[in-house]
Amino acid sequence: MFFKQYYLGCLSHASYMIADNEAGVAVVVDPQRDIGLYLADAKEQGVEIKHVILTHFHADFLAGHIELRDQVGAEICLGAQAEAEFGFRKLGEDDVITLGQVELRFLETPGHTPEGLSILVYDFDRRERVPYAVLTGDTLFIGDVGRPDLLASIGVTAEELSEMLYHSVHHKLAKLPDATLVYPAHGAGSLCGRNLSDETVSTIGEQRKYNYAMQPMTLKEFQNVVLQDQPEAPDYFVHDAILNRQERVRLTETMKASLKPLSLEDLLSHQLHEAQVVDVRDAIDFEGAHLVNAINIGLRGQFATWAGTVLDKEKEIVVIADPGDEEETIIRLGRIGFDNVIGYLKGGMSVVGDRTELLRSTDRITAYAASEQLQSEFPPQVLDVRTAKECGSGFVPESVNIPLMELEKRHHELERSAAFIVLCQGGYRSAIACSLLQKHGFSLIQDLVGGFNAWKASDLPVEPSLKVSEEATGPVP
């Protein structure tokens, strides 16, 4: 048996290839949209990809099932409850796909979505009657379970899905042998769960012992714990969940249109017609000098998640990147179904030259300098863009909290003429927030370098509660 996990850190996403080398056949499970890595390994192993399986309709990325079908003729396989525009093979309880001495047996495990599947992997060269591993999709994670509240499951309530999830976890997956390896579709950083581990493999025995959701409990107790404190899901989740059900254009085709070099004048013309300009350079470079109204989403962070959150999927996108990073940026946008990129600035920011009328900068401030400003006669307002859960660890005194995911809708709650110090946990999201605020006309903005981590490390005052901006109370001064 050939078994390989492919972990994509940008999306906290795991996909898999399983093959029998002697039989020369393989399956790919939950593939990313750019499929070159699977094709390369299939060629190296001397196997043909016969099937592509989705454990469910993913909401946080666009899967590569259409690409594998069109490129190598792989048969698309989905859960028995799935409905899609394209042709596919339905897999129900105890259905089997045989790959020589490797056998895949399917369990219907709804809960995160109604059509959820888990895949038992048997390697008869190792042990005939005991599963080697189980691929759990988004039903069971390492340390958590899939959230049942995502709008991707249109027409099914969170309560109904949580009941399905309870039975899938406690009456099916928990019954597997302790030694069965657990391979989920996501790890830490994914918004498909609440508190995922950064481990990418575990065992059923370890999860039965340490995973809170697998502890003995009633259905009601389970529902109470899995339905509370779930993070807000980005708007693009529904978009991607729908796209994964549809016939659509392949990534290679959209890349031909998107990977187009543009002159500065072309970019400015597109921007004038409401195209979004996204600058993917590191925050320190962006804040030193950037184009007016550009949005900063650093490529070397959770780029896909925040691009899907901040950018408008209906408006054209133009990319500014360090030379050499353009293709990677456009691929990452394509992975989440943002095929509306119309090109990139050829030569990057170097082509702007001395046209200072096109440039803006963002002040950066250290924790100590920020502390001094906050003690002055006219202190700036501190805007904390972390999540409510993160804010449980404490706040900079007198902070106002608007999570980054809500900032585009709630920036009007802030006084545009006021001065702000913006912070997140480590500095990545605050740079995004500063660029959004500047785009909306906020000019007195400073980005706290290192975020709340730097503030705490500097032994500066921390309070356990903060001022929450509420529209009903009017703008925050």
Side-chain angles (χ1 to χ4, degrees), residues 241-456:
I242 292 172
L243 280 177
N244 277 320
R245 293 167 163 83
Q246 294 177 339
E247 192 66 62
R248 54 166 173 77
V249 179
R250 289 182 293 166
L251 180 62
T252 51
E253 297 302 312
T254 65
M255 288 290 293
K256 291 177 183 178
S258 297
L259 197 59
K260 179 181 177 182
L262 300 174
S263 69
L264 177 59
E265 296 307 319
D266 288 337
L267 182 150
L268 295 174
S269 176
H270 288 302
Q271 189 179 35
L272 189 64
H273 291 86
E274 297 192 343
Q276 304 164 100
V277 177
V278 58
D279 188 324
V280 304
R281 294 176 299 150
D282 291 344
I284 190 171
D285 296 320
F286 175 87
E287 293 179 338
H290 56 265
L291 280 182
V292 175
N293 293 334
I295 300 169
N296 178 227
I297 310 173
L299 191 60
R300 292 163 185 82
Q302 291 292 108
F303 173 77
T305 296
W306 288 111
T309 301
V310 170
L311 299 178
D312 187 334
K313 61 184 178 295
E314 304 298 335
K315 293 183 178 180
E316 293 177 333
I317 297 171
V318 178
V319 169
I320 297 177
D322 289 326
D325 284 343
E326 301 92 350
E327 184 172 1
E328 177 67 16
T329 300
I330 296 169
I331 286 174
R332 290 196 188 187
L333 289 167
R335 286 174 182 159
I336 59 170
F338 278 54
D339 293 338
N340 48 331
V341 179
I342 58 172
Y344 63 89
L345 180 60
K346 184 179 180 180
M349 284 297 294
S350 64
V351 303
V352 181
D354 59 358
R355 295 186 60 179
T356 55
E357 78 278 7
L358 300 178
L359 295 174
R360 296 290 183 272
S361 62
T362 308
D363 290 338
R364 294 164 63 84
I365 189 169
T366 65
Y368 284 122
S371 177
E372 290 178 357
Q373 286 193 16
L374 294 176
Q375 296 174 50
S376 66
E377 183 179 359
F378 300 105
Q381 175 68 65
V382 178
L383 175 63
D384 190 326
V385 298
R386 294 178 297 160
T387 64
K389 181 178 179 180
E390 289 174 300
C391 290
S393 63
F395 312 95
V396 174
E398 298 299 315
S399 296
V400 170
N401 176 234
I402 301 180
L404 177 57
M405 195 171 289
E406 303 172 16
L407 186 59
E408 184 66 18
K409 298 176 182 177
R410 296 180 56 192
H411 64 83
H412 63 272
E413 300 174 23
L414 305 170
E415 181 61 50
R416 190 173 280 107
S417 62
F420 290 91
I421 293 174
V422 184
L423 68 90
C424 62
Q425 195 70 25
Y428 180 80
R429 285 167 292 168
S430 61
I432 301 173
C434 286
S435 69
L436 286 174
L437 290 172
Q438 286 181 317
K439 185 174 183 289
H440 288 293
F442 291 77
S443 59
L444 302 176
I445 301 293
Q446 298 180 92
D447 185 6
L448 181 60
V449 178
F452 187 68
N453 290 338
W455 184 273
K456 285 185 67 176

